[in-house]
Amino acid sequence: MKFALLDVRSGAVGLSGLAERLGSGDASARLDLPGGRRSVALPGGTYAEAFAVIAGALDELGVRGDVGAVGHRVVHGGERFSEPALITPEVLDAVRACVPLAPLHNPANIAGIEAARAAFPHLPQVAVFDTAFHQSMPEVAFRYAVPEAWYRQHGVRRYGFHGTSHAFVAAEAARELGRPLAELTLVTAHLGNGCSVCAVAGGRSVDTSMGLTPLEGLVMGTRSGDVDPGLHDFIARQAGLGLSEVTAALNRESGLLGLSGLSNDMRELEEAAARGHAGARLAVEAFVYRLAKQMAGMAVALGRVDALVFTGGIGENSAAVRGAVLARLGVLGAAVDPALNARAVRGESGRISPEGTLPALVVNTNEELMIARQTQDLLAGLKGAQA
Ligand code: AMP
């Protein structure tokens, strides 16, 4: 569980950290305070203990009384949520109803919300959904060509993820370009451990590469991205695997890790490829190829592309990946300025394309700040409605 105390107006971070291995006997929390970093054991491995550590740190900084709300990242909001929502018992039930769609993520999100409500009972809690931004996709983009009953009865459709990040970097890119977001068509690429691209028209998602689950689309750290749906049956028979074992392998043993046989870490793969490791080279090249193909495909959703945007650990740091993707996107009028590209490392956003070509930008994503902003906007709206 990642957490941060944010001043919404300035974006300043008063406290941040990470609780790891929750649910196990060796859970711990890392706190980044103005005075330095600290690690605290969480012997019970619970969310409640993690929130007690956060509350203690707020007291220590003397800012507990200044906290106005808790914003939660919730992975799946199904078709119900196209906006952030004030968490009520009814909203929590709706998040619970989405558990079958995100069995690994939503239960953890619910546990976090319940612990936060217990720790800060007087504060409003807001859910910000990873899927919400993509609820504006048209039906041609979100429907699978499968029996209609699967959609109507079981919600089988494309939802998309990383919405908070795509929305944030699209708005930042508009600022960088000095043009209103409402007028722009953008292809945003969030490239972290999970990777997705999004077609953003006038600030709204009109298509994205992830689908029913975060497994669809690009080659990722350990996820396969797109495969032939016939693969499941084939490999289950050939290798004597169960369906859930195939799904687990596609989620955890595939992607960069599967192709390279070495690592899911792009930095490590770039170094190994430079030393001549054939698997690492193939993994990086396949990652780039599939990414460029998806980004070009998003031009169909947009009709016209005003700019390309790179973000996430790989998008913000790997000049090699960005350069190789832009080299493959000449079809869109893209090109790379090698000097600008080399200079754009984490913390430095900006343009990496030469003048007169399709603008390509690196933008540092900030999901925590976006969640905080959306939380504040929702609460301000509710207050306004009451007045
Ligand atoms: P994230 O999930 O956004 O933190 O991104 C994680 C990914 O970013 C991992 O694949 C890292 O290898 C990659 N990454 C971080 N720093 C670099 C770097 N300097 N060069 C290449 N990849 C990097």
Side-chain angles (χ1 to χ4, degrees):
M1 180 180 75
K2 283 167 84 178
F3 51 85
L5 172 70
L6 289 143
D7 181 321
V8 179
R9 216 160 301 150
S10 68
V13 179
L15 149 76
S16 66
L18 183 68
E20 292 183 290
R21 295 181 297 278
L22 289 170
S24 79
D26 64 343
S28 64
R30 190 194 79 206
L31 280 173
D32 286 309
L33 295 154
R37 178 170 287 189
R38 187 190 305 162
S39 191
V40 187
L42 306 172
T46 64
Y47 283 85
E49 284 173 296
F51 274 98
V53 168
I54 296 171
L58 294 174
D59 282 337
E60 200 177 313
L61 297 173
V63 295
R64 187 153 168 181
D66 300 338
V67 179
V70 184
H72 296 267
R73 177 187 189 183
V74 177
V75 165
H76 220 304
E79 284 192 327
R80 162 75 195 272
F81 297 102
S82 55
E83 299 284 343
L86 182 70
I87 298 174
T88 60
E90 195 263 327
V91 164
L92 204 51
D93 283 344
V95 173
R96 222 170 261 126
C98 293
V99 165
L101 291 167
L104 298 178
H105 294 98
N106 273 30
N109 299 154
I110 292 164
I113 289 168
E114 285 175 335
R117 290 212 302 187
F120 303 102
H122 56 288
L123 290 182
Q125 315 267 333
V126 172
V128 177
F129 299 93
D130 243 28
T131 49
F133 181 59
H134 303 297
Q135 280 296 304
S136 48
M137 285 195 286
E139 197 162 10
V140 289
F142 77 69
R143 286 289 294 274
Y144 291 115
V146 297
E148 193 197 8
W150 294 5
Y151 170 56
R152 302 271 170 230
Q153 291 167 22
H154 304 293
V156 172
R157 53 159 283 176
R158 308 184 62 253
Y159 292 95
F161 298 88
H162 294 143
T164 306
S165 178
H166 288 296
F168 180 84
V169 299
E172 290 295 307
R175 191 174 324 189
E176 191 86 39
L177 293 164
R179 292 179 57 189
L181 181 61
E183 286 174 9
L184 285 171
T185 55
L186 304 167
V187 179
T188 54
H190 177 101
L191 311 173
N193 262 318
C195 301
S196 68
V197 298
C198 183
V200 185
R204 292 159 61 85
S205 168
V206 291
D207 202 355
T208 190
S209 59
M210 283 179 169
L212 174 70
T213 74
L215 188 53
E216 189 177 339
L218 303 173
V219 173
M220 310 181 212
T222 61
R223 286 179 234 158
S224 62
D226 293 341
V227 293
D228 183 335
L231 175 150
H232 293 72
D233 185 57
F234 175 82
I235 198 66
R237 285 167 197 268
Q238 294 296 314
L241 298 173
L243 202 51
S244 52
E245 289 172 298
V246 175
T247 305
L250 292 174
N251 272 296
R252 299 201 209 111
E253 297 160 29
S254 301
L256 294 172
L257 175 64
L259 278 168
S260 67
L262 184 68
S263 168
N264 63 335
D265 189 307
M266 182 58 85
R267 194 169 7 186
E268 209 174 315
L269 292 176
E270 286 179 358
E271 285 162 11
R275 289 195 308 269
H277 189 289
R281 188 175 305 154
L282 173 66
V284 176
E285 284 176 3
F287 179 91
V288 165
Y289 174 69
R290 291 264 295 272
L291 173 57
K293 213 163 103 167
Q294 280 276 5
M295 290 180 84
M298 290 297 158
V300 175
L302 294 170
R304 157 195 111 228
V305 180
D306 291 331
L308 307 175
V309 184
F310 294 93
T311 193
I314 298 171
E316 294 171 31
N317 291 296
S318 176
V321 166
R322 292 189 306 247
V325 170
L326 292 176
R328 282 195 178 271
L329 287 175
V331 66
L332 295 183
V336 66
D337 180 316
L340 291 178
N341 187 34
R343 222 176 295 148
V345 290
R346 191 158 249 181
E348 286 288 321
S349 59
R351 191 170 167 143
I352 56 169
S353 52
E355 282 301 322
T357 64
L358 175 64
L361 309 172
V362 177
V363 174
N364 299 299
T365 195
N366 192 338
E367 290 172 281
E368 282 95 348
L369 181 58
M370 188 69 174
I371 290 167
R373 277 185 192 161
Q374 293 198 319
T375 296
Q376 194 192 44
D377 289 350
L378 175 92
L379 294 172
L382 291 178
K383 249 189 225 142
Q386 274 166 10

